[in-house]
Amino acid sequence: MRVVIALLAGAATLLTIRGVVPMSVGGPEGEDPGDWTILAASTCVFLAISCSRIARRMYRRTRALPPNIDEVPGTAGRGARELGEDSEGFAPALTGIAVACAVALVTEGGRAGTVAACTGVLVALAAVLVTRGRMREARRIAARHDRIARVRGQGTKVRAEVLGVGHGSSWSYGGPVLTVEARFETPSGTRTVVETIATAPADVPAVGGSVLVWYLDDGAEFYLEEDPDSPHEPGAAERYKEPETF
């Protein structure tokens, strides 16, 4: 699917450079590209966007999550099941455009060649940045999945007392991202930890309430999750409601 997206994006770019660009810049090179050229370029763009949407769905279906990640509840669970597929198809499209610009630079001259050179450099740079960003995001998500699967799946589960709750200006799936300080007991003594979790606005734990903790090696590695049986902070539903954006 990625190859198809790259080919469609490249075809649309070549058609535009060879047909539409000379007309738009004017001068002696400006000629009517014909309705078929505009229609073909538009069709390629439409098909590339459609294939990109299909690619996102295929990515979601073919990526397997560790079993216990499906058990993470609420807002935290939605974030834990993140796969980062929203830009699937974008990087292949940029790559196809960059290759098409390189071809046009060799085969075209005059203004079309100049437009191809400038566009190719910018798009190639964007493709590199997008690819690097996707790789970095993939590593972050993989590390998060590994941590949840390992600690939640193999660790000891206890309830921890909430000592403090902080919130900056971040939300995840409509819920506040909280910095929770919690204290719990291990065989080697009391552990106090600070961790970031996300909950629904109404489910923000109160100080003195509890969160669930899974830990390994006497708390050297841990994972926090909201406790459905914990007292909630009064008025949290309104206080932590995500601001509307326009």
Side-chain angles (χ1 to χ4, degrees):
M1 187 60 71
R2 294 179 182 179
V3 174
V4 173
I5 294 171
L7 289 174
L8 287 170
T13 302
L14 278 176
L15 287 168
T16 301
I17 291 175
R18 290 182 175 178
V20 179
V21 169
M23 178 193 70
S24 63
V25 297
E29 296 184 46
E31 298 180 0
D32 187 352
D35 293 340
W36 74 269
T37 304
I38 297 175
L39 178 61
S42 301
T43 301
C44 287
V45 171
F46 173 77
L47 291 175
I49 293 173
S50 300
C51 287
S52 180
R53 292 181 178 274
I54 295 172
R56 287 200 295 269
R57 294 178 182 177
M58 291 176 60
Y59 183 86
R60 166 68 67 175
R61 291 177 181 176
T62 56
R63 285 294 301 273
L65 291 171
N68 64 352
I69 288 184
D70 288 331
E71 300 171 5
V72 179
T75 303
R78 295 181 65 186
R81 288 182 282 275
E82 175 188 9
L83 288 173
E85 83 285 4
D86 289 343
S87 62
E88 186 70 14
F90 189 49
L94 289 175
T95 301
I97 294 172
V99 172
C101 287
V103 172
L105 182 60
V106 174
T107 59
E108 303 294 322
R111 297 184 181 92
T114 302
V115 170
C118 295
T119 303
V121 170
L122 293 176
V123 172
L125 178 60
V128 170
L129 294 176
V130 168
T131 301
R132 289 184 61 184
R134 282 178 56 83
M135 293 174 63
R136 184 167 56 248
E137 182 73 359
R139 288 194 297 268
R140 182 191 69 81
I141 292 173
R144 184 179 187 186
H145 287 170
D146 176 72
R147 176 169 173 256
I148 294 175
R150 186 163 37 80
V151 181
R152 197 180 193 274
Q154 304 171 17
T156 302
K157 177 183 175 182
V158 297
R159 275 191 168 85
E161 180 187 1
V162 176
L163 302 179
V165 178
H167 177 243
S169 57
S170 297
W171 280 263
S172 175
Y173 297 98
V177 177
L178 309 168
T179 301
V180 176
E181 182 180 6
R183 178 173 59 202
F184 59 96
E185 298 295 330
T186 72
S188 60
T190 302
R191 288 273 299 175
T192 300
V193 297
V194 177
E195 175 74 319
T196 299
I197 66 172
T199 72
D203 295 336
V204 173
V207 173
S210 60
V211 290
L212 301 178
V213 178
W214 286 259
Y215 70 87
L216 294 171
D217 301 326
D218 288 339
E221 219 176 343
F222 59 90
Y223 167 72
L224 263 65
E225 201 171 278
E226 66 176 278
D227 181 0
D229 297 325
S230 171
H232 298 144
E233 186 175 319
E238 287 299 322
R239 185 178 309 161
Y240 294 100
K241 183 179 179 181
E242 184 176 11
E244 294 183 0
T245 55
F246 299 93

